[in-house]
Amino acid sequence: MRIRAAVLHEPGRVSVEEIELEPPRDGEVLVRVAAAGVCHSDLHLANGALGEGRWPMVLGHEGAGIVEEVGSGVTRVAPGDAVALCFVPSCRVCRACRAGRLNLCEPAGENGVRGTLMDGTSRLRALDGTSLQHGLMTACFAERAVVSAGGLVRLPDGLPLWQAALLGCGVVTAFGAVRNVARVRPGESVVVVGVGGVGLQVLAAAKLAGASPLVAVDRDARKLALARERGADHVVDTSTEERVVRALRTLTEGGADHAFEVVGLPETMLLAWKAIRPGATVVVVGLAEKGVDVALPAIELLSDKGIRGSYYGSGDPARDLPELARLVLTGELDLAGVVSHIDTLDGVGDALDRLRRGDGARTILVLDPATAGAPTPSPGRQR
Ligand SMILES: [Zn+2]
Ligand SMILES: [Zn+2]
């Protein structure tokens, strides 16, 4: 079928155009996309910063929609179901899955990088016949998407799809880092370096876990104001504060129990490292560009300090997503508050430009206003 989609043709060149989408095969599902979130990883892909060969590609890896058609063998969802998209459709049989590391599913990782679905092929073609990659096996900057059934999570009734669109990347990544990796406990001090779309969710997760004090660090005063609204006890503006490390150590009585880096730069990773106390660990959530190294003062390893990565929440997305959806329904987790802009598919270029400038938090692209339930989209609309 013909659909409109945002296609990355080569680094720096994204266009919204008509393409062909093939029907779902065994174990796959056709979803009418209601809304999609524009994530920093989309910008990295659009810039070609995640390595060679990742184009031409239909972008978009966090979204929600309605199931329209299922391929043979699919029983977990049915036409009409509201679903969130999840870009790691764990196979549950590979070595990583059997070891309980479902976010590290090996075939999901390989196909995600290759830009195909789980059988190693694509359902997407340009009108001239060129095969297109599926952005992180999701490709939801499009009116419709064919995805692996394992990449769908059914949503409870009553959750607006424009908000549910955020669950499958930013929210699961942030909450997992706090709950599954750091395991923040009540009364522990937490520093969050970088409070954009994902950093604000890290902050929300740490707040729900009872972190205290909770300190937000950024160079953008507007993001810090949002962080305060979402429960940060203190904010440190690196664009004006001259002695950032000293300020953080003072606020946390000598060093934080946990620090989260949600930027993806060596200097912010080092800042997070300097902010923790002996025995504590930095959790790096930010995605660095390919080829970037980070250097740390090695002697400090002697003080039991640690640094570790976290991918996609380091848990079982199929288990964690419904629980996060429930938190939104009960009002414990506010998703609307991290959305700074609502736009149509044609606004994807503007949304990427805002990310490039570090301007605003999340942009939601509304593909289907009838099911998204969002405030009326308008170009570059600021909420
Ligand atoms: Zn993302
Ligand atoms: Zn697996």
Side-chain angles (χ1 to χ4, degrees):
M1 66 169 69
R2 284 273 163 99
I3 59 166
R4 291 183 80 235
V7 181
L8 170 69
H9 288 279
E10 60 191 13
R13 189 159 70 90
V14 176
S15 72
V16 175
E17 60 194 74
E18 288 213 312
I19 61 164
E20 272 300 322
L21 176 66
E22 290 172 18
R25 298 185 187 170
D26 295 357
E28 297 171 0
V29 176
L30 172 67
V31 176
R32 187 167 79 246
V33 180
V38 185
C39 171
H40 222 101
S41 319
D42 293 308
L43 178 63
H44 278 323
L45 284 164
N47 287 345
L50 298 186
E52 286 291 313
R54 302 194 69 174
W55 57 84
M57 169 189 281
V58 174
L59 294 171
H61 60 274
E62 68 174 25
I66 305 286
V67 172
E68 271 196 342
E69 186 186 334
V70 299
S72 65
V74 175
T75 54
R76 55 190 292 166
V77 292
D81 284 351
V83 289
L85 304 170
C86 152
F87 62 80
V88 181
S90 315
C91 73
R92 301 194 177 250
V93 294
C94 74
R95 192 174 54 166
C97 284
R98 289 198 315 274
R101 305 296 300 271
L102 289 118
N103 63 314
L104 300 181
C105 171
E106 291 161 5
E110 286 159 16
N111 288 301
V113 170
R114 198 183 292 141
T116 58
L117 296 182
M118 286 293 261
D119 73 347
T121 65
S122 171
R123 306 289 160 272
L124 298 163
R125 269 183 291 118
L127 294 187
D128 68 3
T130 310
S131 180
L132 302 172
Q133 297 182 28
H134 293 251
L136 298 188
M137 271 192 282
T138 309
C140 64
F141 292 170
E143 292 169 330
R144 284 173 173 76
V146 169
V147 296
S148 301
L152 293 174
V153 175
R154 278 179 60 186
L155 291 167
D157 290 341
L159 189 60
L161 294 186
W162 71 281
Q163 295 183 25
L166 294 164
L167 290 171
C169 179
V171 177
V172 79
T173 296
F175 272 71
V178 171
R179 293 180 159 191
N180 300 330
V181 183
R183 296 176 191 271
V184 173
R185 287 186 309 232
E188 289 185 324
S189 55
V190 167
V191 168
V192 182
V193 181
V195 285
V198 177
L200 286 173
Q201 301 295 2
V202 170
L203 200 76
K207 191 75 185 172
L208 270 179
S212 176
L214 182 51
V215 185
V217 183
D218 207 288
R219 59 174 188 195
D220 181 340
R222 286 167 302 176
K223 288 182 190 161
L224 290 171
L226 274 176
R228 272 216 192 272
E229 281 172 29
R230 293 176 74 77
D233 300 303
H234 307 282
V235 300
V236 175
D237 187 336
T238 57
S239 72
T240 55
E241 173 62 57
E242 280 182 9
R243 307 190 69 174
V244 174
V245 173
R246 197 173 71 164
L248 293 175
R249 288 201 178 140
T250 304
L251 291 169
T252 56
E253 292 176 24
D257 294 309
H258 306 276
F260 297 88
E261 197 275 356
V262 203
V263 182
L265 294 173
E267 47 273 33
T268 40
M269 292 177 199
L270 184 59
L271 174 61
W273 175 268
K274 288 178 178 169
I276 56 171
R277 62 167 172 73
T281 298
V282 171
V283 179
V284 176
V285 182
L287 173 61
E289 296 189 359
K290 201 164 182 171
V292 168
D293 294 331
V294 59
L296 299 167
I299 194 168
E300 291 181 28
L301 292 165
L302 202 64
S303 62
D304 276 14
K305 276 184 165 187
I307 182 167
R308 66 157 288 183
S310 174
Y311 178 63
Y312 206 44
S314 307
D316 176 359
R319 180 201 66 203
D320 292 347
L321 262 159
E323 157 70 3
L324 294 168
R326 193 191 62 75
L327 287 177
V328 181
L329 278 181
T330 60
E332 289 163 273
L333 170 59
D334 164 49
L335 293 182
V338 301
V339 176
S340 56
H341 296 77
I342 292 180
D343 211 333
T344 62
L345 179 60
D346 293 296
V348 63
D350 292 341
L352 292 170
D353 283 342
R354 278 192 295 275
L355 282 170
R356 212 169 261 131
R357 294 194 303 266
D359 181 8
R362 218 37 153 206
T363 296
I364 291 286
L365 302 177
V366 172
L367 283 303
D368 182 14
T371 53
T376 314
S378 60
R381 173 192 168 115
Q382 182 105 32
R383 288 187 70 246

